Amino acid sequence: MEIKEIQGGVCAPKGFKANGIHCGIRKNKAKRDFALIVSEVRAAAAGVYTSNLVKGAPVVVTKNNLTDGYAQAIICNSGNANTCNADGLEVANEMCRLVTEVGGIPASDVVVASTGVIGQKLDITPMRQHIGELWLGLGDAGEFAAEAIMTTDTVKKSVAVEFMLGGKICRIGAIAKGVGMVCPNMATNLIFITSDVAITSEMLQTALSEDVKTSFNMVSVDGDQSTNDTCCILANGLAGNQLISGKGSAFKSFCAALNYCTVKLSKMIAKDGEGATKLIECRVVGADRKCTAKAVAKSVIKSSLVKAAMFGEDANWGRVLCAIGYAGVKIDVNAVDVSFSSKSGEICVCKGGYGVDFSEEEAKTVLSQDEVTILINLNTGSSSATAWGCDLTYDYVKINGDYRT
Amino acid sequence: MEIKEIQGGVCAPKGFKANGIHCGIRKNKAKRDFALIVSEVRAAAAGVYTSNLVKGAPVVVTKNNLTDGYAQAIICNSGNANTCNADGLEVANEMCRLVTEVGGIPASDVVVASTGVIGQKLDITPMRQHIGELWLGLGDAGEFAAEAIMTTDTVKKSVAVEFMLGGKICRIGAIAKGVGMVCPNMATNLIFITSDVAITSEMLQTALSEDVKTSFNMVSVDGDQSTNDTCCILANGLAGNQLISGKGSAFKSFCAALNYCTVKLSKMIAKDGEGATKLIECRVVGADRKCTAKAVAKSVIKSSLVKAAMFGEDANWGRVLCAIGYAGVKIDVNAVDVSFSSKSGEICVCKGGYGVDFSEEEAKTVLSQDEVTILINLNTGSSSATAWGCDLTYDYVKINGDYRT
């Protein structure tokens, strides 16, 4: 099946409109902070959420609203996570009702999300004052929505693809935010996906739950798992394909197109990690089991020492071995090979658990690129996994040393 | 029982001599890199080691040498970890034999340790050339040994105490190194403990294994677990107390004195964490179970975002809640209280899972001290635990961006 990237983000699928404006939650008036995505018809909906026991109020409300498997709109603010607030649920529910007031969409068909500082009250007033403006501006403005959900993100994260199902053109669009507090366990930060595919709520949930295992759940920026992780998908059926209600070939095609979008966003999230100067990909092959490959890939991508070495463009592979060793899974240390690669080439630094001679200069050239792969062969099987992260830099410390003020 | 701090470090207990010199493993001639600690008689010995699957060769050799429960000397180099080297075991065994050559102590009674870069060959030559000088200089030089085991440590870590057992004066002395790759799972980095207490090898191992659970295993600098963690204790019996062979009151007294030393070193390790400007203590009380308290304390102390906020003296308590939430243990979020305290006072920032009004200025004053406590009351039981760590700073990144060159 051919998957073709197209323009339009979340507005690429038929029947979806979006908008993003500045309503005043953030002090910087140039920064949009209030987003809305709406489907012209009610859509099958599915979600995956943070497994942090401390959950943002919007996570609780969204989960509740999606129990029936349907939704029609997504409302989101940035600048405040609405988490650990006594009136959090009230405010999150009120955000849903704002959509009812301006658009007549039942509050129970609204996905609500918030992102920003934890533990500061979220005032509904600026949103109430600007919901009319937000609604009236709905159109082909997926980019505005992508911008409005950003916090310390430096780039907008948006993608859309087109593919065929039974002769019908289908589309998936998605936006994401997330640069810090990124170490998802169910999904990462905020991801909103739209599609015009006709699919049941059950199969949509199955597709999404499977998908995050190899996409967003394999991303780590700093090992801190957010309280507000929410990944939601709305599929409104307007593409006119035959309804996907089981695990046939149409379902597989849909999953492939979905994974194309989510992996692309995963890499964008990792590369835009707070303070990051480069995307680090850790690809583990030759594992005896999938879970071994995953655990090793995540352990390496999360190591502060590996991340700092990547920033310093230092081929300190001993730290990679070290992180493999404490991954908590059984591996044969004396079978492990490690290479670094980038568009400048590939260099093997460790064979069978021991160092090999290599040119430090050549290694520095490989590591100086803005996308670097750490390739690990466990040489004990045929399972593999890939995780994405970034380097650890002065700017990560700077950004997080005084985030609130 | 009174525990009195005394001078002398590892040489404080009767019958122990030590030395530390520069032999040439490090380029900087002003830095000692070769240490030796010797007991004049064979001593009961016990050890705890890294649980990293990638183990330094010295760890393997030391474990083997201590299987009979006795040792008489500790030899250690810094500047090279002798890990992931094809000839690692050979070199580690050779280091033990050097002690036999100059001092007649059987190689199987030698504890050997190495610390520094992973994956670079350790040349025995400089050690062979200087072992005579090291041996001849043995004396009351615990400070030289403490210096010789340092890597990026900025301060020597040494402690000694005196206490009474059945009318006899007993002593424990200890030195430690460890500032990065600190997240022990059995012990941390290198800790060498000496004592003149008479105790069986079995009880010594029991004491040490129990001790590390509340001391070194509760320290995290960067979440990276070293390949070379080794904590060894030698007790030579020269204090003349009645042999401790069971869990009576003398054993309890010994354990209390030992814990005094190990907790003091744990705090020194945390405070000297790479790039750190302050010691962070996380004290969890009111837990339903000990393991819950421990998991929460370690999760908070390891959070990059909490660590960066501490560096920025920013009372961003939402990050503390977040780290509690992903600790992987069951807690009641709506029962959690959080305070920050230091010698400047104590300030409550969260009650029952929600934020309370507090003065940001006052909080900044509390957090500006060089030792800060994060106090968490889970309010669901009576178990408690304490973990130690440090803030995350620009200098951590600087130190680790280019460690090898």
Side-chain angles (χ1 to χ4, degrees), chain A residues 261-288:
Chain A
C261 292
T262 56
V263 166
K264 176 138 188 175
L265 288 177
S266 294
K267 289 185 178 186
M268 290 171 90
I269 288 169
K271 191 168 185 176
D272 195 29
E274 284 174 338
T277 68
K278 55 187 76 192
L279 169 69
I280 312 295
E281 177 172 280
C282 181
R283 198 181 315 148
V284 176
V285 301
D288 56 342

Side-chain angles (χ1 to χ4, degrees), chain A residues 26-77:
Chain A
R26 288 171 169 279
K27 284 167 202 160
N28 176 1
K29 288 186 178 167
K31 170 70 180 76
R32 296 171 203 275
D33 55 15
F34 196 24
L36 187 62
I37 302 168
V38 176
S39 168
E40 64 180 60
V41 296
R42 208 166 174 243
V48 285
Y49 312 91
T50 184
S51 59
N52 196 316
L53 291 180
V54 178
K55 285 182 211 310
V59 174
V60 178
V61 172
T62 294
K63 261 182 152 168
N64 187 44
N65 286 353
L66 290 197
T67 43
D68 65 354
Y70 290 91
Q72 196 173 346
I74 299 169
I75 190 166
C76 177
N77 74 279

Side-chain angles (χ1 to χ4, degrees), chain A residues 318 322 326, chain B residues 48-60 62 76-85 88 92 95 111-120 122 151 177 180-181 184 186-192 224-232:
Chain A
C322 179
Y326 65 68
Chain B
V48 285
Y49 312 91
T50 183
S51 59
N52 196 315
L53 291 181
V54 178
K55 285 182 213 308
V59 173
V60 178
T62 294
C76 176
N77 74 278
S78 62
N80 187 314
N82 191 19
T83 299
C84 300
N85 296 329
M95 284 174 71
V111 167
V112 56
S114 298
T115 179
V117 186
I118 299 172
Q120 284 180 3
L122 174 60
T151 52
K177 69 117 321 201
M181 209 176 269
M186 275 303 289
T188 190
N189 290 28
L190 303 182
I191 327 269
F192 304 130
D224 274 275
Q225 191 199 351
S226 161
T227 51
N228 286 45
D229 285 351
T230 298
C231 174
C232 280

Side-chain angles (χ1 to χ4, degrees), chain B residues 128-339:
Chain B
R128 175 174 295 288
Q129 284 166 347
H130 291 85
I131 185 72
E133 176 193 345
L134 186 64
W135 179 268
L136 285 172
L138 280 174
D140 191 16
E143 294 298 298
F144 287 171
E147 189 192 319
I149 66 171
M150 288 163 66
T151 52
T152 48
D153 303 62
T154 66
V155 296
K156 283 178 277 188
K157 298 171 186 73
S158 175
V159 63
V161 297
E162 196 174 272
F163 57 103
M164 301 294 285
L165 282 186
K168 302 286 182 184
I169 300 173
C170 296
R171 296 168 202 87
I172 295 176
I175 57 175
K177 69 117 321 201
V179 284
M181 209 176 269
V182 173
C183 184
N185 205 4
M186 275 303 289
T188 190
N189 290 28
L190 303 182
I191 327 269
F192 304 130
I193 310 172
T194 57
S195 179
D196 46 21
V197 165
I199 181 169
T200 62
S201 299
E202 291 70 25
M203 294 314 294
L204 192 62
Q205 184 67 56
T206 303
L208 187 65
S209 297
E210 268 309 302
D211 185 274
V212 297
K213 290 183 191 167
T214 60
S215 57
F216 302 120
N217 279 2
M218 295 303 283
V219 177
S220 176
V221 167
D222 51 16
D224 274 275
Q225 191 199 351
S226 161
T227 51
N228 286 45
D229 285 351
T230 298
C231 174
C232 280
I233 182 165
L234 269 60
N236 65 13
L238 294 183
N241 62 298
Q242 200 189 333
L243 182 74
I244 300 172
S245 57
K247 287 193 174 182
S249 67
F251 179 73
K252 273 188 195 142
S253 296
F254 174 74
C255 288
L258 179 63
N259 201 243
Y260 181 97
C261 292
T262 55
V263 165
K264 178 138 186 176
L265 287 177
S266 294
K267 288 184 178 185
M268 288 171 92
I269 288 169
K271 192 168 184 176
D272 195 27
E274 283 174 339
T277 68
K278 56 187 77 195
L279 170 69
I280 312 296
E281 177 173 281
C282 181
R283 199 182 312 150
V284 176
V285 301
D288 56 343
R289 299 165 65 189
K290 188 91 184 163
C291 57
T292 302
K294 277 187 166 187
V296 168
K298 287 194 86 164
S299 185
V300 170
I301 217 77
K302 285 169 74 172
S303 158
S304 292
L305 289 169
V306 170
K307 290 157 68 78
M310 292 295 106
F311 173 57
E313 296 166 4
D314 177 15
N316 197 330
W317 61 269
R319 294 182 180 170
V320 175
L321 262 278
C322 178
I324 295 172
Y326 65 68
V329 287
K330 232 180 118 180
I331 52 125
D332 177 4
V333 179
N334 294 119
V336 178
D337 300 339
V338 179
S339 302

